Amino acid sequence: MRAGVLSVAFLSLGVGSVVGSAIDLALAKGHDILEAASQLIVSEPIPPSSPLLEIDESYFDVESGTKRKLCVLHPKGGEELDDDNFKAAFEHCGNGGIIRLPDANYTIGSPLTTELNNAILDVHGWISFSSDIDHWVAKRVPFEFQNLALAWIIKGTNYVLEGNGKGGIYGNGDVWYNWAKDEGNKYGRPMSFAISDSKNVVVRNWSVIQPQFWASIVIRSENVLYKNYYVNATQYNPEASGHFLNWLQNTDGCDTYKSHNVTFEDMVYQGGDDCLALKPNSSMIRARNVTCFGGTGIAFGSIGQYKGIVDYIDDVEFTDITLLPSSQHLMKNGLYFKSWMGYEIGTPPNGGGGGSGYGRDIKVDGVKMKDVIRPIYLQSDLTYLNDHRGEGHDTGLFHWSNISLSNISGTSALNRVVWLDCSKQTPCKDITFDHVKITPGKDDAPEIHYVCNNVVLGGGDGLDACHPSDSQKEGAEEVKG
Ligand SMILES: *[C@@H]1O[C@H](CO)[C@@H](O)[C@H](O)[C@H]1NC(C)=O
Ligand SMILES: *[C@@H]1O[C@H](CO)[C@@H](O)[C@H](O)[C@H]1NC(C)=O
Ligand SMILES: *[C@@H]1O[C@H](CO)[C@@H](O)[C@H](O)[C@H]1NC(C)=O
Ligand SMILES: *[C@@H]1O[C@H](CO)[C@@H](O)[C@H](O)[C@H]1NC(C)=O
Ligand SMILES: *[C@@H]1O[C@H](CO)[C@@H](O)[C@H](O)[C@H]1NC(C)=O
Ligand SMILES: *[C@@H]1O[C@H](CO)[C@@H](O)[C@H](O)[C@H]1NC(C)=O
Ligand SMILES: *[C@@H]1O[C@H](CO)[C@@H](O)[C@H](O)[C@H]1NC(C)=O
Ligand SMILES: *[C@@H]1O[C@H](CO)[C@@H](O)[C@H](O)[C@H]1NC(C)=O
């Protein structure tokens, strides 16, 4: 807590005592105030404007039918930073209580880590991240994978982030999109919120508007449900028109990493990158009723980026997925399986390779798509270094198997429909198709409609026409704009 005045209003619900008072204690620690407050018999009502953090020790929570602590936080307003009071609210009520943010904007100026146990964060307004890029980069909290960064880390067990269908995070992404245009994974650009080292988490009716980078990630966590989750990254800079594939880069909806049992239900995404992405060591991942407008689709990966490391994606069931272009961004890929080349060039985030492992037991049933450039795409020689793209063809060490794709319909934007470019070194196995009916948007290169390299298809796998080809027409680099 920073030096200054903290106002605490303490409410007691005892018989015949209505109460409430603001005690202003300069330079005091939160728990001291609480102890002091509990000794006091107070008689004046809370002044409506002064207490920024009201604490009710015995609030009756109708939902749980129990009395628990309630912290109601109000913002300082204007450009003033709310970091200190925000953290204080978690300290007071993050263990067993409810933290309520009424409809207002709360400005957070630096990366922060908070903890919730048996607690609810009830947000009716917006947790808004300041736009001081230099400060955020200088204070950057590193994330181990790809040397990326995090803005807000939430840890704990049994907690809910409730956005009430009209609140959540406002990331001030515009400034980041301008700053990072044409540079993927630019150093220091932070993810809006991370569910980290957590268990039994619900993120509900929650929005992330203008995320700075990836809107969210689940790290080393299990039993996490995102229900009614909305992400929207929109580019407002007029200079961006015509360059829209690059300007909204890295605005992923949510990624999973070293996590088990994560579910996305009733999700809507608009942006310029992965709607959902499964990074190394994601298992038991579910998605139902997810609609993605623009970007690079549903990504299985990237994976296998770290030499000598064994990664996995295991046990995935996705159903009822809709993939559409947005007014700002094409839908570049539909279902995109992406593993790195088999040897290392450069270092992460944009270089690397040589990792192994497996992606298996993946079932995607029920996808509707419109004008997707590469509807079903498996790439096994990934690198983000433009000078080295395609070099590691056929060297990939990551093993894809037992992938079932069913009930997939709609249109592609160009000639490609199915493009499975598996590695000769590590061929794909057991990929099956059932009721896959995607109409190509163009017919001037029918030889690339269905391409299958190093995967046995033809016969019992549900796709009759699929043949090897090394054509790079409409390849990863050819499609611009
Ligand atoms: C929060 O900020 C946004 C954008 O600056 C503004 O449109 C909105 O009215 C503010 N909300 C409140 C409750 O002050
Ligand atoms: C929030 O989510 C719950 C459970 O998913 C749902 O019943 C409720 O209607 C939602 N509330 C709002 C305001 O969206
Ligand atoms: C998976 O997580 C959900 C909560 O999202 C929980 O209800 C369910 O029991 C978990 N399943 C397993 C097998 O752990
Ligand atoms: C995303 O936000 C933009 C700008 O407000 C809006 O035009 C667009 O409809 C939104 N997309 C979705 C899917 O809600
Ligand atoms: C799918 O999700 C959207 C967005 O949350 C929601 O409006 C719609 O009711 C959901 N559909 C079903 C069938 O649950
Ligand atoms: C993923 O799990 C494997 C097997 O347990 C382990 O060897 C590897 O280090 C893990 N990967 C990461 C990125 O932690
Ligand atoms: C293939 O994956 C499915 C889940 O999608 C699983 O039920 C099945 O057992 C797997 N098959 C094999 C042979 O492992
Ligand atoms: C495809 O959809 C139909 C109708 O909804 C369903 O009966 C069938 O099980 C689905 N196919 C697969 C392989 O899941």
Side-chain angles (χ1 to χ4, degrees):
M1 195 171 313
R2 88 182 177 192
V5 174
L6 172 71
S7 301
V8 176
F10 182 71
L11 291 178
S12 151
L13 298 177
V15 179
S17 67
V18 177
V19 259
S21 151
I23 344 163
D24 287 345
L25 291 181
L27 308 170
K29 285 212 167 107
H31 60 266
D32 296 332
I33 296 173
L34 270 184
E35 268 166 33
S38 64
Q39 311 293 317
L40 292 177
I41 296 169
V42 285
S43 58
E44 281 174 89
I46 316 161
S49 56
S50 71
L52 294 182
L53 180 57
E54 298 169 50
I55 301 177
D56 180 343
E57 286 289 338
S58 53
Y59 171 77
F60 184 76
D61 176 28
V62 181
E63 210 168 304
S64 64
T66 57
K67 281 188 180 175
R68 56 203 296 193
K69 232 170 159 182
L70 171 70
C71 284
V72 180
L73 177 65
H74 302 279
K76 292 177 187 151
E79 308 272 282
E80 275 202 81
L81 300 180
D82 295 304
D83 298 46
D84 51 357
N85 285 338
F86 190 75
K87 280 185 252 178
F90 281 80
E91 277 159 29
H92 287 292
C93 291
N95 202 346
I98 300 175
I99 300 166
R100 181 163 295 151
L101 274 57
D103 186 9
N105 293 320
Y106 300 79
T107 308
I108 301 297
S110 299
L112 78 168
T113 301
T114 57
E115 196 168 330
L116 291 170
N117 289 295
N118 305 309
I120 299 173
L121 175 65
D122 183 27
V123 179
H124 297 260
W126 299 97
I127 297 163
S128 166
F129 291 101
S130 71
S131 58
D132 183 349
I133 289 180
D134 292 344
H135 179 77
W136 281 96
V137 174
K139 294 277 176 184
R140 156 187 185 278
V141 170
F143 169 49
E144 65 204 62
F145 180 68
Q146 292 183 334
N147 199 22
L148 304 177
L150 306 172
W152 177 24
I153 299 162
I154 306 154
K155 298 185 170 181
T157 304
N158 301 330
Y159 64 88
V160 177
L161 306 187
E162 172 63 78
N164 296 287
K166 56 174 184 176
I169 291 174
Y170 179 76
N172 248 308
D174 316 37
V175 294
W176 295 96
Y177 310 154
N178 293 339
W179 180 72
K181 76 182 158 72
D182 301 326
E183 186 178 338
N185 297 316
K186 192 159 174 170
Y187 181 82
R189 198 178 151 191
M191 300 176 204
S192 305
F193 78 110
I195 301 295
S196 185
D197 305 282
S198 292
K199 207 171 168 176
N200 307 337
V201 179
V202 179
V203 176
R204 196 164 71 193
N205 308 319
W206 185 266
S207 301
V208 182
I209 309 296
Q210 302 299 84
Q212 308 92 305
F213 189 76
W214 299 357
S216 186
I217 183 168
V218 181
I219 304 167
R220 288 183 299 272
S221 295
E222 57 184 299
N223 308 344
V224 180
L225 170 66
Y226 285 68
K227 168 108 182 153
N228 195 9
Y229 172 59
Y230 178 83
V231 174
N232 193 329
T234 292
Q235 180 53 258
Y236 294 103
N237 188 329
E239 286 173 41
S241 61
H243 303 270
F244 52 99
L245 276 179
N246 288 335
W247 284 55
L248 285 171
Q249 264 187 113
N250 306 125
T251 55
D252 294 19
C254 191
D255 287 47
T256 59
Y257 178 75
K258 291 193 189 179
S259 292
H260 179 72
N261 189 17
V262 182
T263 300
F264 300 92
E265 216 172 278
D266 305 337
M267 167 172 167
V268 175
Y269 170 82
Q270 175 168 330
D273 216 299
D274 301 335
C275 181
L276 288 174
L278 310 190
K279 298 294 194 263
N281 296 10
S282 296
S283 59
M284 196 177 171
I285 311 297
R286 306 285 180 257
R288 279 185 290 278
N289 186 26
V290 173
T291 302
C292 315
F293 294 92
T296 51
I298 304 283
F300 300 84
S302 74
I303 196 155
Q305 186 173 6
Y306 289 81
K307 189 181 168 188
I309 303 289
V310 179
D311 291 336
Y312 60 81
I313 294 173
D314 195 4
D315 182 7
V316 178
E317 281 178 32
F318 284 3
T319 183
D320 194 6
I321 309 288
T322 306
L323 304 167
L324 307 163
S326 76
S327 59
Q328 294 214 324
H329 204 294
L330 304 171
M331 188 51 93
K332 209 168 163 186
N333 310 301
L335 305 174
Y336 184 18
F337 302 85
K338 49 192 295 202
S339 49
W340 281 72
M341 54 167 58
Y343 54 93
E344 195 178 30
I345 307 179
T347 52
N350 295 326
S356 64
Y358 55 89
R360 71 180 180 207
D361 300 1
I362 297 170
K363 179 176 168 64
V364 184
D365 177 45
V367 181
K368 293 194 172 65
M369 56 172 85
K370 184 170 176 283
D371 298 343
V372 177
I373 293 172
R374 293 182 292 264
I376 297 173
Y377 181 29
L378 189 152
Q379 179 178 19
S380 58
D381 63 352
L382 186 71
T383 175
Y384 297 137
L385 300 174
N386 285 326
D387 293 346
H388 296 282
R389 289 196 199 246
E391 275 180 25
H393 200 242
D394 278 335
T395 67
L397 301 172
F398 190 82
H399 191 207
W400 295 101
S401 69
N402 191 19
I403 300 174
S404 146
L405 306 171
S406 53
N407 293 321
I408 302 183
S409 63
T411 57
S412 80
L414 304 173
N415 283 287
R416 293 211 181 257
V417 174
V418 172
W419 184 12
L420 302 180
D421 199 18
C422 301
S423 160
K424 186 173 279 173
Q425 173 81 27
T426 317
C428 302
K429 281 206 188 84
D430 302 322
I431 301 188
T432 56
F433 294 81
D434 182 15
H435 290 90
V436 174
K437 292 202 177 65
I438 301 165
T439 310
K442 284 178 82 179
D443 228 352
D444 56 349
E447 74 279 10
I448 62 166
H449 287 345
Y450 294 91
V451 170
C452 291
N453 294 326
N454 302 307
V455 50
V456 182
L457 279 181
D461 45 52
L463 205 65
D464 298 331
C466 202
H467 53 81
S469 162
D470 60 4
S471 170
Q472 285 302 307
K473 278 182 195 165
E474 297 176 14
E477 284 325 284
E478 197 192 334
V479 181
K480 299 266 193 259

mmCIF file with all atom_site columns, all heavy atoms in Angstrom, residues 144-145 257-258 280-281 309-312, ligand 6:
data_model
loop_
_atom_site.group_PDB
_atom_site.id
_atom_site.type_symbol
_atom_site.label_atom_id
_atom_site.label_alt_id
_atom_site.label_comp_id
_atom_site.label_asym_id
_atom_site.label_entity_id
_atom_site.label_seq_id
_atom_site.pdbx_PDB_ins_code
_atom_site.Cartn_x
_atom_site.Cartn_y
_atom_site.Cartn_z
_atom_site.occupancy
_atom_site.B_iso_or_equiv
_atom_site.pdbx_formal_charge
_atom_site.auth_seq_id
_atom_site.auth_comp_id
_atom_site.auth_asym_id
_atom_site.auth_atom_id
_atom_site.pdbx_PDB_model_num
ATOM   1   N N   . GLU A 1 144 ? 7.676  -17.321 -18.890 1.00 0.00 ? 144 GLU A N   1
ATOM   2   C CA  . GLU A 1 144 ? 8.730  -18.223 -19.376 1.00 0.00 ? 144 GLU A CA  1
ATOM   3   C C   . GLU A 1 144 ? 8.610  -18.590 -20.867 1.00 0.00 ? 144 GLU A C   1
ATOM   4   O O   . GLU A 1 144 ? 9.596  -18.682 -21.565 1.00 0.00 ? 144 GLU A O   1
ATOM   5   C CB  . GLU A 1 144 ? 8.715  -19.502 -18.532 1.00 0.00 ? 144 GLU A CB  1
ATOM   6   C CG  . GLU A 1 144 ? 7.414  -20.300 -18.702 1.00 0.00 ? 144 GLU A CG  1
ATOM   7   C CD  . GLU A 1 144 ? 7.071  -21.229 -17.532 1.00 0.00 ? 144 GLU A CD  1
ATOM   8   O OE1 . GLU A 1 144 ? 6.882  -20.717 -16.417 1.00 0.00 ? 144 GLU A OE1 1
ATOM   9   O OE2 . GLU A 1 144 ? 6.982  -22.448 -17.739 1.00 0.00 ? 144 GLU A OE2 1
ATOM   10  N N   . PHE A 1 145 ? 7.388  -18.812 -21.332 1.00 0.00 ? 145 PHE A N   1
ATOM   11  C CA  . PHE A 1 145 ? 7.197  -19.271 -22.704 1.00 0.00 ? 145 PHE A CA  1
ATOM   12  C C   . PHE A 1 145 ? 7.391  -18.112 -23.695 1.00 0.00 ? 145 PHE A C   1
ATOM   13  O O   . PHE A 1 145 ? 6.772  -17.054 -23.554 1.00 0.00 ? 145 PHE A O   1
ATOM   14  C CB  . PHE A 1 145 ? 5.788  -19.852 -22.845 1.00 0.00 ? 145 PHE A CB  1
ATOM   15  C CG  . PHE A 1 145 ? 5.453  -20.374 -24.203 1.00 0.00 ? 145 PHE A CG  1
ATOM   16  C CD1 . PHE A 1 145 ? 6.074  -21.510 -24.703 1.00 0.00 ? 145 PHE A CD1 1
ATOM   17  C CD2 . PHE A 1 145 ? 4.516  -19.728 -24.993 1.00 0.00 ? 145 PHE A CD2 1
ATOM   18  C CE1 . PHE A 1 145 ? 5.749  -22.002 -25.961 1.00 0.00 ? 145 PHE A CE1 1
ATOM   19  C CE2 . PHE A 1 145 ? 4.184  -20.215 -26.254 1.00 0.00 ? 145 PHE A CE2 1
ATOM   20  C CZ  . PHE A 1 145 ? 4.809  -21.357 -26.736 1.00 0.00 ? 145 PHE A CZ  1
ATOM   21  N N   . TYR A 1 257 ? -1.545 -23.196 -21.311 1.00 0.00 ? 257 TYR A N   1
ATOM   22  C CA  . TYR A 1 257 ? -0.142 -23.605 -21.180 1.00 0.00 ? 257 TYR A CA  1
ATOM   23  C C   . TYR A 1 257 ? 0.015  -24.422 -19.908 1.00 0.00 ? 257 TYR A C   1
ATOM   24  O O   . TYR A 1 257 ? -0.400 -23.955 -18.832 1.00 0.00 ? 257 TYR A O   1
ATOM   25  C CB  . TYR A 1 257 ? 0.734  -22.348 -21.152 1.00 0.00 ? 257 TYR A CB  1
ATOM   26  C CG  . TYR A 1 257 ? 2.216  -22.589 -20.983 1.00 0.00 ? 257 TYR A CG  1
ATOM   27  C CD1 . TYR A 1 257 ? 2.993  -23.076 -22.036 1.00 0.00 ? 257 TYR A CD1 1
ATOM   28  C CD2 . TYR A 1 257 ? 2.846  -22.316 -19.770 1.00 0.00 ? 257 TYR A CD2 1
ATOM   29  C CE1 . TYR A 1 257 ? 4.362  -23.273 -21.884 1.00 0.00 ? 257 TYR A CE1 1
ATOM   30  C CE2 . TYR A 1 257 ? 4.210  -22.518 -19.614 1.00 0.00 ? 257 TYR A CE2 1
ATOM   31  C CZ  . TYR A 1 257 ? 4.962  -22.997 -20.671 1.00 0.00 ? 257 TYR A CZ  1
ATOM   32  O OH  . TYR A 1 257 ? 6.312  -23.201 -20.514 1.00 0.00 ? 257 TYR A OH  1
ATOM   33  N N   . LYS A 1 258 ? 0.555  -25.604 -20.016 1.00 0.00 ? 258 LYS A N   1
ATOM   34  C CA  . LYS A 1 258 ? 0.777  -26.486 -18.858 1.00 0.00 ? 258 LYS A CA  1
ATOM   35  C C   . LYS A 1 258 ? -0.484 -26.560 -17.999 1.00 0.00 ? 258 LYS A C   1
ATOM   36  O O   . LYS A 1 258 ? -0.415 -26.410 -16.772 1.00 0.00 ? 258 LYS A O   1
ATOM   37  C CB  . LYS A 1 258 ? 1.937  -25.971 -18.000 1.00 0.00 ? 258 LYS A CB  1
ATOM   38  C CG  . LYS A 1 258 ? 3.294  -26.076 -18.656 1.00 0.00 ? 258 LYS A CG  1
ATOM   39  C CD  . LYS A 1 258 ? 4.375  -25.853 -17.613 1.00 0.00 ? 258 LYS A CD  1
ATOM   40  C CE  . LYS A 1 258 ? 5.742  -25.716 -18.208 1.00 0.00 ? 258 LYS A CE  1
ATOM   41  N NZ  . LYS A 1 258 ? 6.764  -25.484 -17.169 1.00 0.00 ? 258 LYS A NZ  1
ATOM   42  N N   . PRO A 1 280 ? 2.156  -25.557 -25.323 1.00 0.00 ? 280 PRO A N   1
ATOM   43  C CA  . PRO A 1 280 ? 2.681  -26.803 -24.760 1.00 0.00 ? 280 PRO A CA  1
ATOM   44  C C   . PRO A 1 280 ? 1.999  -27.242 -23.463 1.00 0.00 ? 280 PRO A C   1
ATOM   45  O O   . PRO A 1 280 ? 1.723  -26.446 -22.586 1.00 0.00 ? 280 PRO A O   1
ATOM   46  C CB  . PRO A 1 280 ? 4.153  -26.467 -24.513 1.00 0.00 ? 280 PRO A CB  1
ATOM   47  C CG  . PRO A 1 280 ? 4.487  -25.531 -25.621 1.00 0.00 ? 280 PRO A CG  1
ATOM   48  C CD  . PRO A 1 280 ? 3.256  -24.695 -25.785 1.00 0.00 ? 280 PRO A CD  1
ATOM   49  N N   . ASN A 1 281 ? 1.787  -28.563 -23.422 1.00 0.00 ? 281 ASN A N   1
ATOM   50  C CA  . ASN A 1 281 ? 1.253  -29.253 -22.252 1.00 0.00 ? 281 ASN A CA  1
ATOM   51  C C   . ASN A 1 281 ? -0.130 -28.761 -21.854 1.00 0.00 ? 281 ASN A C   1
ATOM   52  O O   . ASN A 1 281 ? -0.383 -28.393 -20.704 1.00 0.00 ? 281 ASN A O   1
ATOM   53  C CB  . ASN A 1 281 ? 2.271  -29.219 -21.103 1.00 0.00 ? 281 ASN A CB  1
ATOM   54  C CG  . ASN A 1 281 ? 3.534  -30.002 -21.475 1.00 0.00 ? 281 ASN A CG  1
ATOM   55  O OD1 . ASN A 1 281 ? 3.689  -30.384 -22.635 1.00 0.00 ? 281 ASN A OD1 1
ATOM   56  N ND2 . ASN A 1 281 ? 4.404  -30.233 -20.519 1.00 0.00 ? 281 ASN A ND2 1
ATOM   57  N N   . ILE A 1 309 ? 12.964 -30.462 -25.766 1.00 0.00 ? 309 ILE A N   1
ATOM   58  C CA  . ILE A 1 309 ? 11.816 -30.531 -24.852 1.00 0.00 ? 309 ILE A CA  1
ATOM   59  C C   . ILE A 1 309 ? 10.686 -31.332 -25.509 1.00 0.00 ? 309 ILE A C   1
ATOM   60  O O   . ILE A 1 309 ? 10.442 -31.211 -26.707 1.00 0.00 ? 309 ILE A O   1
ATOM   61  C CB  . ILE A 1 309 ? 11.315 -29.113 -24.501 1.00 0.00 ? 309 ILE A CB  1
ATOM   62  C CG1 . ILE A 1 309 ? 12.429 -28.258 -23.884 1.00 0.00 ? 309 ILE A CG1 1
ATOM   63  C CG2 . ILE A 1 309 ? 10.106 -29.177 -23.578 1.00 0.00 ? 309 ILE A CG2 1
ATOM   64  C CD1 . ILE A 1 309 ? 12.841 -28.648 -22.485 1.00 0.00 ? 309 ILE A CD1 1
ATOM   65  N N   . VAL A 1 310 ? 10.030 -32.146 -24.676 1.00 0.00 ? 310 VAL A N   1
ATOM   66  C CA  . VAL A 1 310 ? 8.894  -32.949 -25.143 1.00 0.00 ? 310 VAL A CA  1
ATOM   67  C C   . VAL A 1 310 ? 7.609  -32.224 -24.741 1.00 0.00 ? 310 VAL A C   1
ATOM   68  O O   . VAL A 1 310 ? 7.324  -32.079 -23.554 1.00 0.00 ? 310 VAL A O   1
ATOM   69  C CB  . VAL A 1 310 ? 8.920  -34.351 -24.483 1.00 0.00 ? 310 VAL A CB  1
ATOM   70  C CG1 . VAL A 1 310 ? 7.733  -35.179 -24.936 1.00 0.00 ? 310 VAL A CG1 1
ATOM   71  C CG2 . VAL A 1 310 ? 10.236 -35.061 -24.776 1.00 0.00 ? 310 VAL A CG2 1
ATOM   72  N N   . ASP A 1 311 ? 6.846  -31.755 -25.701 1.00 0.00 ? 311 ASP A N   1
ATOM   73  C CA  . ASP A 1 311 ? 5.587  -31.051 -25.423 1.00 0.00 ? 311 ASP A CA  1
ATOM   74  C C   . ASP A 1 311 ? 4.406  -31.942 -25.798 1.00 0.00 ? 311 ASP A C   1
ATOM   75  O O   . ASP A 1 311 ? 4.532  -32.807 -26.658 1.00 0.00 ? 311 ASP A O   1
ATOM   76  C CB  . ASP A 1 311 ? 5.451  -29.808 -26.310 1.00 0.00 ? 311 ASP A CB  1
ATOM   77  C CG  . ASP A 1 311 ? 6.427  -28.691 -25.966 1.00 0.00 ? 311 ASP A CG  1
ATOM   78  O OD1 . ASP A 1 311 ? 6.896  -28.626 -24.832 1.00 0.00 ? 311 ASP A OD1 1
ATOM   79  O OD2 . ASP A 1 311 ? 6.684  -27.872 -26.881 1.00 0.00 ? 311 ASP A OD2 1
ATOM   80  N N   . TYR A 1 312 ? 3.270  -31.648 -25.210 1.00 0.00 ? 312 TYR A N   1
ATOM   81  C CA  . TYR A 1 312 ? 2.086  -32.375 -25.679 1.00 0.00 ? 312 TYR A CA  1
ATOM   82  C C   . TYR A 1 312 ? 0.831  -31.503 -25.705 1.00 0.00 ? 312 TYR A C   1
ATOM   83  O O   . TYR A 1 312 ? 0.719  -30.518 -24.967 1.00 0.00 ? 312 TYR A O   1
ATOM   84  C CB  . TYR A 1 312 ? 1.824  -33.619 -24.820 1.00 0.00 ? 312 TYR A CB  1
ATOM   85  C CG  . TYR A 1 312 ? 1.586  -33.345 -23.352 1.00 0.00 ? 312 TYR A CG  1
ATOM   86  C CD1 . TYR A 1 312 ? 0.343  -32.934 -22.883 1.00 0.00 ? 312 TYR A CD1 1
ATOM   87  C CD2 . TYR A 1 312 ? 2.615  -33.509 -22.431 1.00 0.00 ? 312 TYR A CD2 1
ATOM   88  C CE1 . TYR A 1 312 ? 0.129  -32.683 -21.536 1.00 0.00 ? 312 TYR A CE1 1
ATOM   89  C CE2 . TYR A 1 312 ? 2.402  -33.256 -21.075 1.00 0.00 ? 312 TYR A CE2 1
ATOM   90  C CZ  . TYR A 1 312 ? 1.162  -32.836 -20.638 1.00 0.00 ? 312 TYR A CZ  1
ATOM   91  O OH  . TYR A 1 312 ? 0.956  -32.576 -19.306 1.00 0.00 ? 312 TYR A OH  1
HETATM 92  C C1  . LIG B 2 .   ? 5.616  -31.026 -20.831 1.00 0.00 ? 6   LIG B C1  1
HETATM 93  O O1  . LIG B 2 .   ? 5.537  -32.282 -20.209 1.00 0.00 ? 6   LIG B O1  1
HETATM 94  C C2  . LIG B 2 .   ? 6.651  -33.104 -20.482 1.00 0.00 ? 6   LIG B C2  1
HETATM 95  C C3  . LIG B 2 .   ? 6.340  -34.472 -19.960 1.00 0.00 ? 6   LIG B C3  1
HETATM 96  O O2  . LIG B 2 .   ? 5.908  -34.412 -18.646 1.00 0.00 ? 6   LIG B O2  1
HETATM 97  C C4  . LIG B 2 .   ? 7.887  -32.492 -19.854 1.00 0.00 ? 6   LIG B C4  1
HETATM 98  O O3  . LIG B 2 .   ? 9.021  -33.278 -20.117 1.00 0.00 ? 6   LIG B O3  1
HETATM 99  C C5  . LIG B 2 .   ? 8.084  -31.122 -20.492 1.00 0.00 ? 6   LIG B C5  1
HETATM 100 O O4  . LIG B 2 .   ? 9.156  -30.452 -19.883 1.00 0.00 ? 6   LIG B O4  1
HETATM 101 C C6  . LIG B 2 .   ? 6.824  -30.278 -20.329 1.00 0.00 ? 6   LIG B C6  1
HETATM 102 N N1  . LIG B 2 .   ? 6.930  -29.082 -21.144 1.00 0.00 ? 6   LIG B N1  1
HETATM 103 C C7  . LIG B 2 .   ? 6.958  -27.890 -20.622 1.00 0.00 ? 6   LIG B C7  1
HETATM 104 C C8  . LIG B 2 .   ? 6.973  -26.739 -21.535 1.00 0.00 ? 6   LIG B C8  1
HETATM 105 O O5  . LIG B 2 .   ? 6.945  -27.745 -19.408 1.00 0.00 ? 6   LIG B O5  1
#
